[in-house]
Amino acid sequence: MVSKYNKIAVVGAGAWGTALAQVAAKAGREVTLWAREAEVVESVNGTRENSLFLPGIALDESLRATGELKEIAQADAILMVTPAQHMRRVLEQLAPEIAEGKPVVLCAKGVEQSTNYLLTEVLAEAAPQAKAAVLSGPSFAAEVARGLPTAVTLACADEDVAEALVHAIGLPAFRPYYSSDLIGAEIGGAVKNVLAIACGIVEGKKFGDSARAALTTRGFAELARLGVAMGARTETLMGLSGLGDLILTCNSPKSRNMSLGMALGEGRTLEDVMGARNSVSEGVHSASAVVALANKYGIEMPIAEAVAAIVTAKATVDDAIATLLARPFRSEG
């Protein structure tokens, strides 16, 4: 089926970028996947597999990889899946190729550490001519690439564009729900990564399922307070990109952030865990920025503060836990 956005470019060929490229190809779109690594381009085009980041999953025959950013200019819409801390640099390189009003869908989850900006704010500075959109929700890359079912949020201030993007990449097993609430769609994905580290620590310390459920719930209260203060709608925060993504990320070792927290809870060092990975645990980089946003808006986020203190070596895991448990009793809210 021909779509308003028939040519889709995916910038960033990690596991999630590759999975989204697979989704768009299965939806009948003409897909170009940009990779920084030459070996990924060769692997995708030569063997129909991203052996570095998404091994064992056969990719659609129509999907094409490239290492040339200029080729992205031909796309009708661009999905940006580079890690949050590298998003500005790649957008600045790509900006001359982005036509006025072209949709740029931000698919990474995080807050820019150097500025405490949401990625929509980064896009507004780096490529102001683009039409910003956000894709977020409960979605493990390998499951999405295999065609297992999930649902996500796709937000754009122009709901006609959001609806057209949904029809461009939606599948029976990959169901985007459109929204006009960009902040709500974005803040959930950024904060849940930080909270997942905390839940992983609970798991690593063997504190039990009750403790993890309690921490997830109190963490969601923190996420919702910050989101509302920044202008997000409550229904978005309660939806797929907020509560839905939080439930997934805080309850499965498949989550990069939760698994990192588990390793910290078991006594491993952050340097040891990060050094052994070729994927990004975005919560490590976003924790301090989330806390800075909380301070800016006068929001109390003790769990996020504890994670930030741990990953910046300002507190040990045990000291951070002791501080949280020593907090005074109060009303729920």
Side-chain angles (χ1 to χ4, degrees), residues 30-34 44-45 48 60-66 71:
E30 184 180 326
V31 182
T32 302
L33 174 64
W34 178 82
V44 170
N45 291 337
R48 316 313 308 165
D60 193 271
E61 289 293 330
S62 68
L63 198 164
R64 188 178 66 86
T66 182
E71 295 190 32

Side-chain angles (χ1 to χ4, degrees), residues 176-234:
Y177 287 76
Y178 58 87
S179 167
S180 60
D181 183 7
L182 284 100
I183 293 175
E186 194 169 7
I187 199 67
V191 177
K192 63 94 184 182
N193 284 331
V194 179
L195 300 174
I197 294 175
C199 285
I201 290 171
V202 165
E203 191 72 11
K205 298 291 283 186
K206 300 190 184 326
F207 285 165
D209 294 340
S210 300
R212 190 176 71 251
L215 185 72
T216 302
T217 306
R218 294 308 302 159
F220 179 70
E222 293 187 14
L223 185 160
R225 285 198 296 268
L226 179 61
V228 169
M230 294 181 68
R233 296 200 293 263
T234 301

